Amino acid sequence: MAEAAAAAEQASAAARASALAHKESLLAAVQCFALWFTAQYLFNKSLSLTSVTSNTVLSSTSSLFTFALSMLVLKEPYSLAKLLSIAACIGGTLLVTFSDEGSRQGSSISSTPAMGGTSIHNTPLTTNTTVDPLTAATAGPNHSVIGDLLCLISASFYAGYTIVLRKSLPDDDEANVALFFGYVGLLCSVVFAPVVAVMAGLGAMHLKTIPPKAYLIILIEGILNYCLSDYLWAHAVLLLGPTIATLGLSVQIPVAAVVEVLIGVPKWLSNGRSMAMMLGGTALIMLGFFAGNLAGGGRVYGSHHRGAV
């Protein structure tokens, strides 16, 4: 009898914990999904209105917005060391970006390797894209200003999403991150699928013109860039805190540089000035990241146990 009662109590406790996890993840997703979607949409929209160089540099300011919001919302104390670390990462990104610009200007190849990416926190070092002459001819200063502004707004929204994520979910050992992103996906589908259907019905969006292969690319991109990448990144936010986790996103640039060297000879290696800027920029990024971690002292602001918020 005692064993049966203990088993029943254990099952009841597990059911309560599961219900609490679902409630907690759903509430967090309700607070986050609109911020997440808006940040991603504005980022991708800005790519068509400004240069990829400006887009990359401005996107890196997300760590600055995150630090400011963390001080305001999570009561993280001001730290000059962290501010300098953020400045080092942004400055390193700037150097790397313009080193790529320098290597392009020194090349007669028509394809344009440039800094770019599909989301704020997944910016590969180089992509081979061909400049559309029509786009280049029509992209005026007004478009550039609007694109830069959209990119900055996107970075601020992404910072807000990061802060809300840390504030609404418990510590990493208690949070169900997969469940949280499941609800984010569900909410995005429920809210935005009707919008797509209406736009397609009105002729503002032509889904039939999208080739079948594009859907496969979208599926693979979604799994790797959004599902896996966001899942691991969210754990980093819960473990390290919003400021350090966002700062760590810049480290993908040195990693991408190493990968680029391993798979081929990048153009920046053939230009002394570009190589110096690339190496200096990657060194600044790594220095900023490690200095930021040391300045943080291992404390995670916004950390709390399940049910505490």
Side-chain angles (χ1 to χ4, degrees):
M1 290 291 292
E3 291 181 359
E9 178 61 28
Q10 187 176 8
S12 177
R16 289 195 300 270
S18 177
L20 181 58
H22 276 271
K23 179 182 177 181
E24 178 182 75
S25 299
L26 177 59
L27 289 176
V30 168
Q31 298 175 68
C32 288
F33 87 97
L35 292 170
W36 178 87
F37 182 88
T38 303
Q40 301 292 348
Y41 175 79
L42 292 178
F43 175 83
N44 285 284
K45 182 67 177 176
S46 71
L47 279 171
S48 63
L49 296 174
T50 189
S51 68
V52 186
T53 300
S54 296
N55 184 281
T56 302
V57 174
L58 292 173
S59 294
S60 69
T61 62
S62 179
S63 56
L64 187 60
F65 286 116
T66 301
F67 184 42
L69 287 175
S70 185
M71 289 190 294
L72 181 65
V73 178
L74 302 180
K75 308 305 178 186
E76 179 176 352
Y78 170 78
S79 168
L80 179 60
K82 279 189 181 179
L83 187 61
L84 292 176
S85 299
I86 292 170
C89 285
I90 295 175
T93 302
L94 186 67
L95 282 175
V96 169
T97 302
F98 282 100
S99 75
D100 187 62
E101 285 290 300
S103 65
R104 279 197 291 164
Q105 292 173 3
S107 173
S108 60
I109 298 175
S110 61
S111 63
T112 306
M115 296 287 295
T118 54
S119 73
I120 292 173
H121 57 290
N122 190 15
T123 306
L125 184 66
T126 58
T127 55
N128 291 322
T129 57
T130 303
V131 177
D132 183 355
L134 180 61
T135 302
T138 57
N142 289 337
H143 282 81
S144 180
V145 171
I146 294 172
D148 291 347
L149 182 60
L150 288 179
C151 193
L152 276 175
I153 295 173
S154 172
S156 65
F157 267 89
Y158 201 82
Y161 156 65
T162 306
I163 296 299
V164 173
L165 172 68
R166 172 60 277 190
K167 186 174 177 62
S168 57
L169 287 179
D171 294 340
D172 185 70
D173 58 342
E174 297 178 347
N176 193 328
V177 175
L179 187 61
F180 163 74
F181 279 114
Y183 277 123
V184 168
L186 177 63
L187 289 169
C188 285
S189 299
V190 170
V191 173
F192 297 113
V195 176
V196 173
V198 170
M199 292 179 67
L202 294 175
M205 184 179 293
H206 304 284
L207 299 179
K208 291 183 179 179
T209 61
I210 301 176
K213 286 185 178 179
Y215 288 104
L216 177 61
I217 295 173
I218 291 171
L219 177 62
I220 297 173
E221 171 79 1
I223 293 173
L224 297 178
N225 187 32
Y226 292 102
C227 294
L228 180 60
S229 176
D230 278 11
Y231 176 81
L232 296 175
W233 174 82
H235 276 294
V237 171
L238 298 178
L239 288 168
L240 301 175
T243 301
I244 301 302
T246 307
L247 200 61
L249 297 176
S250 301
V251 177
Q252 66 187 307
I253 293 176
V255 171
V258 172
V259 171
E260 192 179 31
V261 171
L262 292 176
I263 64 176
V265 180
K267 292 180 182 178
W268 51 265
L269 276 179
S270 60
N271 183 299
R273 180 172 176 271
S274 295
M275 183 169 63
M277 292 176 68
M278 173 67 73
L279 296 177
T282 54
L284 263 179
I285 290 171
M286 296 305 297
L287 176 64
F289 175 65
F290 286 115
N293 272 276
L294 292 175
R299 181 172 178 182
V300 180
Y301 294 93
S303 175
H304 62 273
H305 293 291
R306 172 165 288 161
V309 175

Tab-separated table of all heavy atoms in Angstrom, residues 121-160:
chain	number	residue	atom	x	y	z
A	121	HIS	N	21.539	36.370	-35.601
A	121	HIS	CA	22.536	35.627	-34.855
A	121	HIS	C	23.126	34.478	-35.651
A	121	HIS	O	23.677	33.546	-35.111
A	121	HIS	CB	21.936	35.086	-33.563
A	121	HIS	CG	20.749	34.218	-33.772
A	121	HIS	ND1	19.554	34.698	-34.199
A	121	HIS	CD2	20.593	32.889	-33.601
A	121	HIS	CE1	18.679	33.710	-34.282
A	121	HIS	NE2	19.291	32.601	-33.940
A	122	ASN	N	23.005	34.559	-36.978
A	122	ASN	CA	23.635	33.538	-37.804
A	122	ASN	C	24.186	34.208	-39.050
A	122	ASN	O	23.601	34.126	-40.115
A	122	ASN	CB	22.624	32.453	-38.183
A	122	ASN	CG	23.296	31.276	-38.835
A	122	ASN	OD1	24.506	31.136	-38.771
A	122	ASN	ND2	22.513	30.432	-39.458
A	123	THR	N	25.318	34.892	-38.907
A	123	THR	CA	25.882	35.670	-39.989
A	123	THR	C	27.162	35.026	-40.489
A	123	THR	O	28.212	35.197	-39.899
A	123	THR	CB	26.191	37.100	-39.509
A	123	THR	OG1	25.016	37.649	-38.938
A	123	THR	CG2	26.652	37.965	-40.659
A	124	PRO	N	27.125	34.230	-41.577
A	124	PRO	CA	28.335	33.621	-42.086
A	124	PRO	C	29.307	34.664	-42.594
A	124	PRO	O	28.907	35.757	-42.963
A	124	PRO	CB	27.825	32.721	-43.223
A	124	PRO	CG	26.517	33.273	-43.605
A	124	PRO	CD	25.959	33.915	-42.371
A	125	LEU	N	30.570	34.299	-42.650
A	125	LEU	CA	31.601	35.261	-43.016
A	125	LEU	C	31.430	35.762	-44.429
A	125	LEU	O	31.460	36.943	-44.700
A	125	LEU	CB	32.980	34.631	-42.851
A	125	LEU	CG	34.163	35.559	-43.112
A	125	LEU	CD1	34.190	36.655	-42.066
A	125	LEU	CD2	35.456	34.790	-43.128
A	126	THR	N	31.279	34.862	-45.385
A	126	THR	CA	31.141	35.300	-46.762
A	126	THR	C	30.088	34.492	-47.472
A	126	THR	O	29.872	33.325	-47.183
A	126	THR	CB	32.459	35.138	-47.551
A	126	THR	OG1	32.847	33.773	-47.493
A	126	THR	CG2	33.551	36.023	-46.995
A	127	THR	N	29.417	35.121	-48.408
A	127	THR	CA	28.499	34.421	-49.288
A	127	THR	C	28.754	34.903	-50.692
A	127	THR	O	29.018	36.069	-50.923
A	127	THR	CB	27.022	34.712	-48.928
A	127	THR	OG1	26.832	36.130	-48.941
A	127	THR	CG2	26.670	34.168	-47.556
A	128	ASN	N	28.674	34.009	-51.656
A	128	ASN	CA	28.901	34.391	-53.037
A	128	ASN	C	27.591	34.773	-53.677
A	128	ASN	O	26.735	33.934	-53.924
A	128	ASN	CB	29.533	33.227	-53.816
A	128	ASN	CG	30.941	32.972	-53.340
A	128	ASN	OD1	31.666	33.906	-53.033
A	128	ASN	ND2	31.326	31.705	-53.269
A	129	THR	N	27.412	36.045	-53.901
A	129	THR	CA	26.198	36.538	-54.517
A	129	THR	C	26.574	37.461	-55.661
A	129	THR	O	27.602	38.132	-55.633
A	129	THR	CB	25.343	37.321	-53.505
A	129	THR	OG1	26.138	38.382	-52.975
A	129	THR	CG2	24.869	36.430	-52.376
A	130	THR	N	25.739	37.498	-56.681
A	130	THR	CA	25.972	38.378	-57.804
A	130	THR	C	25.089	39.595	-57.681
A	130	THR	O	23.885	39.477	-57.454
A	130	THR	CB	25.667	37.639	-59.123
A	130	THR	OG1	26.475	36.479	-59.193
A	130	THR	CG2	25.953	38.542	-60.309
A	131	VAL	N	25.676	40.757	-57.807
A	131	VAL	CA	24.926	41.994	-57.662
A	131	VAL	C	23.986	42.149	-58.835
A	131	VAL	O	24.378	42.040	-59.994
A	131	VAL	CB	25.887	43.200	-57.604
A	131	VAL	CG1	25.110	44.493	-57.530
A	131	VAL	CG2	26.803	43.063	-56.405
A	132	ASP	N	22.725	42.403	-58.554
A	132	ASP	CA	21.733	42.653	-59.573
A	132	ASP	C	21.894	44.079	-60.083
A	132	ASP	O	21.738	45.027	-59.314
A	132	ASP	CB	20.337	42.454	-58.957
A	132	ASP	CG	19.231	42.634	-59.986
A	132	ASP	OD1	19.539	42.992	-61.134
A	132	ASP	OD2	18.062	42.408	-59.614
A	133	PRO	N	22.208	44.274	-61.379
A	133	PRO	CA	22.424	45.623	-61.883
A	133	PRO	C	21.226	46.525	-61.681
A	133	PRO	O	21.358	47.714	-61.421
A	133	PRO	CB	22.704	45.397	-63.387
A	133	PRO	CG	23.158	43.985	-63.491
A	133	PRO	CD	22.435	43.243	-62.412
A	134	LEU	N	20.013	45.950	-61.815
A	134	LEU	CA	18.818	46.760	-61.632
A	134	LEU	C	18.697	47.233	-60.203
A	134	LEU	O	18.409	48.405	-59.929
A	134	LEU	CB	17.569	45.946	-62.032
A	134	LEU	CG	16.221	46.667	-61.884
A	134	LEU	CD1	16.206	47.904	-62.785
A	134	LEU	CD2	15.079	45.728	-62.235
A	135	THR	N	18.979	46.318	-59.261
A	135	THR	CA	18.928	46.687	-57.853
A	135	THR	C	19.989	47.723	-57.529
A	135	THR	O	19.747	48.690	-56.810
A	135	THR	CB	19.137	45.444	-56.963
A	135	THR	OG1	18.143	44.490	-57.272
A	135	THR	CG2	19.046	45.805	-55.503
A	136	ALA	N	21.187	47.516	-58.076
A	136	ALA	CA	22.270	48.456	-57.826
A	136	ALA	C	21.954	49.831	-58.381
A	136	ALA	O	22.343	50.859	-57.818
A	136	ALA	CB	23.564	47.930	-58.456
A	137	ALA	N	21.239	49.867	-59.513
A	137	ALA	CA	20.932	51.147	-60.137
A	137	ALA	C	19.838	51.894	-59.411
A	137	ALA	O	19.799	53.117	-59.388
A	137	ALA	CB	20.533	50.917	-61.596
A	138	THR	N	18.901	51.144	-58.823
A	138	THR	CA	17.751	51.795	-58.196
A	138	THR	C	17.931	52.027	-56.715
A	138	THR	O	17.145	52.727	-56.089
A	138	THR	CB	16.486	50.934	-58.417
A	138	THR	OG1	16.718	49.630	-57.883
A	138	THR	CG2	16.143	50.828	-59.894
A	139	ALA	N	18.940	51.387	-56.106
A	139	ALA	CA	19.140	51.531	-54.664
A	139	ALA	C	19.813	52.874	-54.383
A	139	ALA	O	21.006	53.020	-54.532
A	139	ALA	CB	19.997	50.385	-54.130
A	140	GLY	N	19.024	53.851	-53.989
A	140	GLY	CA	19.544	55.181	-53.731
A	140	GLY	C	19.803	55.399	-52.261
A	140	GLY	O	19.626	54.503	-51.430
A	141	PRO	N	20.227	56.619	-51.890
A	141	PRO	CA	20.526	56.908	-50.491
A	141	PRO	C	19.321	56.767	-49.574
A	141	PRO	O	19.469	56.391	-48.425
A	141	PRO	CB	21.036	58.363	-50.546
A	141	PRO	CG	20.533	58.910	-51.844
A	141	PRO	CD	20.499	57.755	-52.777
A	142	ASN	N	18.119	57.068	-50.085
A	142	ASN	CA	16.928	56.933	-49.255
A	142	ASN	C	16.694	55.484	-48.859
A	142	ASN	O	16.330	55.177	-47.722
A	142	ASN	CB	15.701	57.475	-49.987
A	142	ASN	CG	15.728	58.997	-50.106
A	142	ASN	OD1	16.397	59.663	-49.323
A	142	ASN	ND2	15.023	59.527	-51.082
A	143	HIS	N	16.880	54.586	-49.843
A	143	HIS	CA	16.738	53.165	-49.549
A	143	HIS	C	17.770	52.733	-48.513
A	143	HIS	O	17.475	51.946	-47.622
A	143	HIS	CB	16.915	52.343	-50.831
A	143	HIS	CG	15.715	52.332	-51.718
A	143	HIS	ND1	15.427	53.345	-52.581
A	143	HIS	CD2	14.717	51.423	-51.859
A	143	HIS	CE1	14.312	53.071	-53.236
A	143	HIS	NE2	13.856	51.913	-52.821
A	144	SER	N	18.996	53.240	-48.624
A	144	SER	CA	20.055	52.862	-47.699
A	144	SER	C	19.733	53.308	-46.284
A	144	SER	O	19.923	52.555	-45.324
A	144	SER	CB	21.380	53.470	-48.155
A	144	SER	OG	22.420	53.112	-47.282
A	145	VAL	N	19.249	54.522	-46.132
A	145	VAL	CA	18.897	55.039	-44.806
A	145	VAL	C	17.773	54.218	-44.192
A	145	VAL	O	17.818	53.841	-43.016
A	145	VAL	CB	18.502	56.526	-44.895
A	145	VAL	CG1	17.917	56.996	-43.570
A	145	VAL	CG2	19.700	57.379	-45.278
A	146	ILE	N	16.757	53.918	-44.998
A	146	ILE	CA	15.630	53.120	-44.501
A	146	ILE	C	16.113	51.722	-44.112
A	146	ILE	O	15.729	51.184	-43.071
A	146	ILE	CB	14.515	53.031	-45.564
A	146	ILE	CG1	13.899	54.408	-45.789
A	146	ILE	CG2	13.439	52.030	-45.130
A	146	ILE	CD1	12.921	54.459	-46.944
A	147	GLY	N	16.966	51.130	-44.946
A	147	GLY	CA	17.494	49.804	-44.643
A	147	GLY	C	18.318	49.798	-43.378
A	147	GLY	O	18.203	48.880	-42.553
A	148	ASP	N	19.173	50.816	-43.209
A	148	ASP	CA	19.977	50.923	-41.987
A	148	ASP	C	19.083	51.060	-40.760
A	148	ASP	O	19.337	50.463	-39.708
A	148	ASP	CB	20.920	52.126	-42.074
A	148	ASP	CG	22.018	51.923	-43.108
A	148	ASP	OD1	22.194	50.774	-43.575
A	148	ASP	OD2	22.688	52.909	-43.459
A	149	LEU	N	18.032	51.870	-40.895
A	149	LEU	CA	17.108	52.076	-39.771
A	149	LEU	C	16.381	50.782	-39.420
A	149	LEU	O	16.250	50.432	-38.239
A	149	LEU	CB	16.103	53.170	-40.132
A	149	LEU	CG	15.085	53.550	-39.049
A	149	LEU	CD1	15.805	54.067	-37.800
A	149	LEU	CD2	14.107	54.599	-39.566
A	150	LEU	N	15.937	50.056	-40.439
A	150	LEU	CA	15.257	48.778	-40.191
A	150	LEU	C	16.188	47.782	-39.507
A	150	LEU	O	15.769	47.031	-38.619
A	150	LEU	CB	14.751	48.186	-41.509
A	150	LEU	CG	13.552	48.865	-42.162
A	150	LEU	CD1	13.198	48.175	-43.478
A	150	LEU	CD2	12.343	48.857	-41.233
A	151	CYS	N	17.455	47.802	-39.898
A	151	CYS	CA	18.425	46.893	-39.294
A	151	CYS	C	18.647	47.218	-37.820
A	151	CYS	O	18.736	46.324	-36.977
A	151	CYS	CB	19.738	46.960	-40.066
A	151	CYS	SG	20.888	45.637	-39.654
A	152	LEU	N	18.744	48.504	-37.511
A	152	LEU	CA	18.894	48.920	-36.113
A	152	LEU	C	17.665	48.550	-35.284
A	152	LEU	O	17.788	48.079	-34.149
A	152	LEU	CB	19.133	50.426	-36.043
A	152	LEU	CG	20.574	50.910	-36.230
A	152	LEU	CD1	20.615	52.424	-36.251
A	152	LEU	CD2	21.479	50.373	-35.125
A	153	ILE	N	16.483	48.779	-35.850
A	153	ILE	CA	15.248	48.419	-35.141
A	153	ILE	C	15.199	46.919	-34.924
A	153	ILE	O	14.806	46.436	-33.854
A	153	ILE	CB	14.016	48.901	-35.929
A	153	ILE	CG1	13.992	50.429	-36.003
A	153	ILE	CG2	12.729	48.394	-35.275
A	153	ILE	CD1	12.906	50.979	-36.902
A	154	SER	N	15.622	46.162	-35.944
A	154	SER	CA	15.663	44.708	-35.821
A	154	SER	C	16.591	44.278	-34.688
A	154	SER	O	16.255	43.389	-33.896
A	154	SER	CB	16.131	44.102	-37.148
A	154	SER	OG	16.358	42.719	-37.012
A	155	ALA	N	17.766	44.918	-34.596
A	155	ALA	CA	18.716	44.588	-33.531
A	155	ALA	C	18.120	44.878	-32.160
A	155	ALA	O	18.317	44.117	-31.207
A	155	ALA	CB	20.005	45.386	-33.721
A	156	SER	N	17.365	45.967	-32.051
A	156	SER	CA	16.743	46.311	-30.764
A	156	SER	C	15.634	45.325	-30.410
A	156	SER	O	15.477	44.944	-29.247
A	156	SER	CB	16.208	47.741	-30.801
A	156	SER	OG	15.152	47.867	-31.731
A	157	PHE	N	14.862	44.899	-31.415
A	157	PHE	CA	13.812	43.909	-31.165
A	157	PHE	C	14.424	42.573	-30.746
A	157	PHE	O	13.892	41.881	-29.877
A	157	PHE	CB	12.949	43.712	-32.419
A	157	PHE	CG	11.725	44.577	-32.450
A	157	PHE	CD1	11.769	45.845	-32.993
A	157	PHE	CD2	10.529	44.130	-31.927
A	157	PHE	CE1	10.656	46.660	-33.016
A	157	PHE	CE2	9.395	44.923	-31.942
A	157	PHE	CZ	9.457	46.200	-32.492
A	158	TYR	N	15.546	42.212	-31.368
A	158	TYR	CA	16.194	40.963	-31.009
A	158	TYR	C	16.727	41.016	-29.584
A	158	TYR	O	16.674	40.031	-28.847
A	158	TYR	CB	17.327	40.636	-31.986
A	158	TYR	CG	17.678	39.180	-31.963
A	158	TYR	CD1	16.934	38.262	-32.686
A	158	TYR	CD2	18.741	38.715	-31.190
A	158	TYR	CE1	17.250	36.912	-32.646
A	158	TYR	CE2	19.050	37.371	-31.158
A	158	TYR	CZ	18.299	36.478	-31.883
A	158	TYR	OH	18.591	35.144	-31.831
A	159	ALA	N	17.224	42.180	-29.206
A	159	ALA	CA	17.681	42.359	-27.824
A	159	ALA	C	16.510	42.215	-26.861
A	159	ALA	O	16.621	41.577	-25.806
A	159	ALA	CB	18.338	43.725	-27.665
A	160	GLY	N	15.361	42.804	-27.224
A	160	GLY	CA	14.167	42.677	-26.383
A	160	GLY	C	13.717	41.237	-26.248
A	160	GLY	O	13.363	40.778	-25.159
